[in-house]
Amino acid sequence: ETGVTQTPRHLVMGMTNKKSLKCEQHLGHNAMYWYKQSAKKPLELMFVYNFKEQTENNSVPSRFSPECPNSSHLFLHLHTLQPEDSALYLCASSQESGRPNNEQFFGPGTRLTVL
Amino acid sequence: AQSVTQLGSHVSVSEGALVLLRCNYSSSVPPYLFWYVQYPNQGLQLLLKYTTGATLVKGINGFEAEFKKSETSFHLTKPSAHMSDAAEYFCAVSEGGGATNKLIFGTGTLLAVQP
C-alpha cells in the first residue's frame, strides 16, 4: 500500500448504529487530519493530530470521536449520527501540522450515508 | 480570518482551449496557496503550491498559477485542455502558525471538457 488509504470506501448506517472509519498513511508523516466534504460546501476541517496529540477540534459534535493510536493510523468513531452527517469523509496527512507550506496528502475518502 | 473565493462553480471548455479557473483569497499575512484536483470517487491531489519566491508556479499535468499580491489572486491556467482534465478543482490558503496548519478551501470549480 502507498500513500493514504481509507476503509471502508462506502458505508451505510442507521442513526442508532456505531461504526468506525479507518485511515492509514504510508508516508512517514507525523500529522493526520479528518475533513468532511458535503455537496456545495467547502471542505470542513474536523480534527488534527500532530505526533498522536490532538491539536484541533473544529467544534465537531461529540457523536464524532477521533482516535490516533500512532502517527500512521487515524480512526473516526461514529455513533447516533444524523442524516445531515451524510458526506464524504476525507483523511489527510502531512509532515507536521505546524508548517503552513506543508502539502497535505489525501486519501480517497469514505462515502457515508446515514439513514 | 483567511478565506478563499472561487468564481464559477462550473466551467466548461472545449478540448484544446485555454483553461482559466479563478481564485481570490484574503489573508492578513503572506499566504501559502495551493490548488488541488479531485477526480470522481477519489481524494484530493496537489496540482501546485506557492510558498515564497517565483510568483509563477508550475504544477503537474501542464497546469500553472500566478500569485498576484496586488490582486489577491491565484488563478489556475492550462494552455490547452484535455479530456482527462475534467474534474473538480479546489483552491486553498494555508492559515499557518501555531500548532496547526489549517488549509482553508474554496467551494470548488467543476471543470467540464467538451470534445
Side-chain angles (χ1 to χ4, degrees), chain A residues 12-13 17 25-27 43 57 63 73 76 82 87-88 91 93 97 109 111:
Chain A
V12 179
M13 58 187 290
N17 291 158
Q25 59 93 2
H26 310 266
L27 300 167
L43 272 77
N57 177 339
R63 58 185 183 270
H73 293 86
L76 188 62
Q82 304 299 312
L88 182 68
C91 174
S93 71
S97 70
R111 174 68 65 186

Side-chain angles (χ1 to χ4, degrees), chain A residues 7-12 109-113, chain B residues 41:
Chain A
T7 54
R9 293 293 309 275
H10 300 271
L11 178 62
V12 179
T110 295
R111 174 68 65 186
L112 174 66
T113 302
Chain B
N41 301 314

Side-chain angles (χ1 to χ4, degrees), chain A residues 31 33 48 50 55 94-102, chain B residues 96-101:
Chain A
Y33 310 76
V48 181
N50 197 39
T55 56
S94 70
Q95 192 59 42
E96 287 182 35
S97 70
R99 297 185 181 180
N101 59 343
N102 271 184
Chain B
T100 301
N101 163 30

